[in-house]
Amino acid sequence: MEGLDSMISKGKDTFWGFLGCEFISGNGQEVKIALEAKAQHTNSLGIIHGGVLTSLMDQAMGMVATAAKNVDACVTTNMNVHFVSPMKQGRLVVTAIVIHEAGRSLTTEARIHDSAGTLGCISTASFRVVNSK
């Protein structure tokens, strides 16, 4: 999808690249991204920092919202996160889907699993299509 391709190509010099995100697959219904979580992604307890996990879910949900609306940009207007299991260093996969659309607004959901299949966190978020100029 053109919007996803554009986001990924521009991403290496943005927060996406800073985190170390990897695009796996995506369309207007579902986006999957991954992160090889390393020591710099951990907090003082040795688990992956909640801000990293939240950022990953926000990124994946923004991508699926943008793809679903086939637009250049959407912005997060609200986000709720539930941390259910501590995540450790290693490969983390985020899956995001659109669960509702209404006009220029979308509601999305994301889940992060580790390589063993353990669910680490769940998030829902609302997005708004940005007016193009």
Side-chain angles (χ1 to χ4, degrees):
M1 302 203 72
E2 189 175 315
L4 289 177
D5 291 339
S6 175
M7 289 176 82
I8 295 162
S9 68
K10 292 177 184 175
K12 67 180 178 181
D13 296 326
T14 66
F15 196 56
W16 165 275
F18 177 76
L19 276 177
C21 296
E22 170 196 342
F23 179 74
I24 298 173
S25 63
N27 57 45
Q29 283 85 38
E30 179 182 271
V31 164
K32 286 186 183 238
I33 65 172
L35 173 72
E36 190 63 38
K38 299 178 180 169
Q40 70 261 26
H41 297 112
T42 62
N43 62 20
S44 60
L45 299 174
I47 60 176
I48 305 305
H49 192 285
V52 171
L53 299 171
T54 300
S55 294
L56 287 170
M57 291 186 293
D58 186 35
Q59 179 69 51
M61 290 185 291
M63 292 174 82
V64 77
T66 299
K69 287 295 191 184
N70 196 27
V71 295
D72 292 331
C74 290
V75 294
T76 312
T77 58
N78 179 286
M79 187 170 176
N80 297 295
V81 179
H82 300 273
F83 301 102
V84 295
S85 295
M87 295 281 96
K88 298 183 176 155
Q89 293 181 53
R91 188 165 174 82
L92 303 177
V93 175
V94 186
T95 303
I97 61 170
V98 173
I99 56 177
H100 183 261
E101 291 185 57
R104 292 179 36 211
S105 298
L106 300 96
T107 303
T108 59
E109 177 186 86
R111 295 171 183 252
I112 298 181
H113 290 86
D114 65 14
S115 57
T118 302
L119 176 64
C121 45
I122 302 168
S123 180
T124 56
S126 301
F127 288 84
R128 183 103 172 135
V129 173
V130 176
N131 286 338
S132 54
K133 295 184 179 188

